[in-house]
Amino acid sequence: MDIDQIRTFLGVVANNSFFEAANRLHVTQSTVSARIQRLEAYLGVTLFVRNRSGATLTLPGQRFFRHAKSFLLTLEQARHDIRLPTRFHASITVGARIALWEELLPRWVGSLRTLAPDISIRSEIGFEEDLIRGLIEGRMDVSLMYTPQQSPGLQIEYLFDETLVLVTTDPDKPWPNEDYIYVDWGPAFYELHNSYYPDMERPPQVVNIGWLGVQLIINNGGSCFLPTRIAEPLIQTKKLFLVPGSTQFRLPAYMVFPRDSDSIVLQQVLESLRSLAIIERQKTKS
């Protein structure tokens, strides 16, 4: 058993597919199959059932999954930690949606650096699929997102609600109109949006990142939904305005992390994120 076999195993689990795992790992599908076969031969069990829908774990595969994650995470941490300058005693990798990095998480990173200056922090941006995959593959320690998907070995914990408000560059223009940009804040937002505006046609512009929606409406005019954290500074400078009489949506934010981790540093990071969430929840109430 070697690290490439472990990475490949976790890649197949994360993608539910030998083919997709091969693409992600930049190897051929036959290489993925060969690595899994060698791993199965070493363990003496069948790890996956392959069918038209992809690859699913067998019961022995599910049992091995937790050990594989721990094994890879230990190796990754060891590889990273031995390269750390002596002033750091540990490292942590934090991933999140780009909107959560707007003002909120940079403030939290600053606080963490003050509380624990001997921890090296790696910060990453991603969508839910990428963040979950990073956790499964052991590349990330904790991730923050809006619509997490259940996965073996991962713990999902609610943090706070984002408040999404509808902003525009022209408050006198009737809404909805052709300048509306739909920002894809994930499945939860889609359901809220669809239930509140069931008869709305598909907007002419759709973006997958709030930052891009902001750039488009500020440069070209228009409207979109944004978290209040992003919207308020732009409203204060009169670059954007609230759409009169518009609704507000609540979008839950979660953190996801390995369920069975015994890392003291990770527990310290999780507690600091919980403290941040308490502050955000108090803001929402006020």
Side-chain angles (χ1 to χ4, degrees), residues 90 114 124 199 240 243-244:
T114 300
E124 296 190 10
D199 300 323
L240 294 177
V243 173

Side-chain angles (χ1 to χ4, degrees), residues 161-176:
D161 285 337
E162 289 270 40
T163 300
L164 299 180
V165 294
L166 183 59
V167 293
T168 180
T169 53
D170 186 357
D172 296 323
K173 190 172 185 178
W175 191 94

Side-chain angles (χ1 to χ4, degrees), residues 85-100:
T86 55
R87 67 180 183 277
F88 298 117
H89 87 273
S91 64
I92 199 82
T93 299
V94 181
R97 270 262 194 166
I98 188 171
L100 292 166

Side-chain angles (χ1 to χ4, degrees), residues 17-282:
S17 166
F18 279 54
F19 177 75
E20 289 298 329
N23 288 337
R24 293 283 180 177
L25 296 169
H26 305 291
V27 297
T28 64
Q29 189 171 348
S30 61
T31 298
V32 169
S33 296
R35 288 177 180 175
I36 296 300
Q37 287 172 4
R38 289 197 297 270
L39 183 58
E40 289 177 329
Y42 175 81
L43 296 171
V45 297
T46 299
L47 297 171
F48 293 99
V49 175
R50 298 174 67 175
N51 49 46
R52 290 183 179 179
S53 62
T56 57
L57 286 171
T58 62
L59 182 57
Q62 294 174 18
R63 292 171 179 161
F64 178 65
F65 174 67
R66 178 169 57 87
H67 298 287
K69 278 186 58 183
S70 299
F71 179 67
L72 182 61
L73 183 59
T74 299
L75 286 177
E76 289 287 351
Q77 289 178 335
R79 183 178 65 85
H80 187 73
D81 288 347
I82 61 177
R83 296 179 180 177
L84 284 177
T86 55
R87 67 180 183 277
F88 298 117
H89 87 273
S91 64
I92 199 82
T93 299
V94 181
R97 270 262 194 166
I98 188 171
L100 292 166
W101 280 115
E102 183 77 28
E103 189 275 327
L104 178 68
L105 288 182
R107 173 161 44 91
W108 168 75
V109 169
S111 299
L112 184 62
R113 290 282 296 119
T114 300
L115 290 172
D118 56 348
I119 296 177
S120 172
I121 306 169
R122 178 182 176 89
S123 302
E124 296 190 10
I125 291 172
F127 292 106
E128 277 77 357
E129 180 182 352
D130 302 314
L131 297 171
I132 292 292
R133 184 180 296 111
L135 289 164
I136 291 174
E137 294 177 352
R139 294 182 287 103
M140 292 185 184
D141 299 291
V142 59
S143 290
L144 281 74
M145 61 194 76
Y146 295 128
T147 314
Q149 300 298 314
Q150 293 285 350
S151 182
L154 296 182
Q155 179 72 37
I156 298 173
E157 183 174 325
Y158 165 78
L159 289 177
F160 58 88
D161 285 337
E162 289 270 40
T163 300
L164 299 180
V165 294
L166 183 59
V167 293
T168 180
T169 53
D170 186 357
D172 296 323
K173 190 172 185 178
W175 191 94
N177 51 60
E178 287 298 298
D179 294 331
Y180 174 56
I181 297 177
Y182 178 85
V183 180
D184 183 3
W185 293 107
F189 175 73
Y190 173 81
E191 292 180 6
L192 289 169
H193 191 280
N194 195 49
S195 64
Y196 204 85
Y197 305 111
D199 300 323
M200 180 181 287
E201 295 181 351
R202 176 186 171 90
Q205 296 185 78
V206 176
V207 299
N208 64 348
I209 294 177
W211 173 86
L212 182 54
V214 171
Q215 302 308 309
L216 288 172
I217 64 175
I218 287 180
N219 281 277
N220 306 319
S223 58
C224 68
F225 276 95
L226 295 175
T228 53
R229 286 182 294 98
I230 300 175
E232 283 179 350
L234 297 169
I235 292 172
Q236 290 173 2
T237 57
K238 298 188 183 304
K239 291 182 178 179
L240 294 177
F241 305 87
L242 289 173
V243 173
S246 60
T247 188
Q248 297 183 356
F249 293 132
R250 292 290 178 88
L251 188 63
Y254 303 86
M255 67 177 176
V256 187
F257 51 92
R259 186 187 306 275
D260 299 323
S261 175
D262 58 358
S263 168
I264 296 176
V265 173
L266 177 58
Q267 295 306 316
Q268 184 178 1
V269 168
L270 296 179
E271 284 303 317
S272 66
L273 285 169
R274 291 179 182 119
S275 298
L276 174 73
I278 292 173
I279 296 174
E280 293 303 307
R281 290 198 294 270
Q282 290 172 343

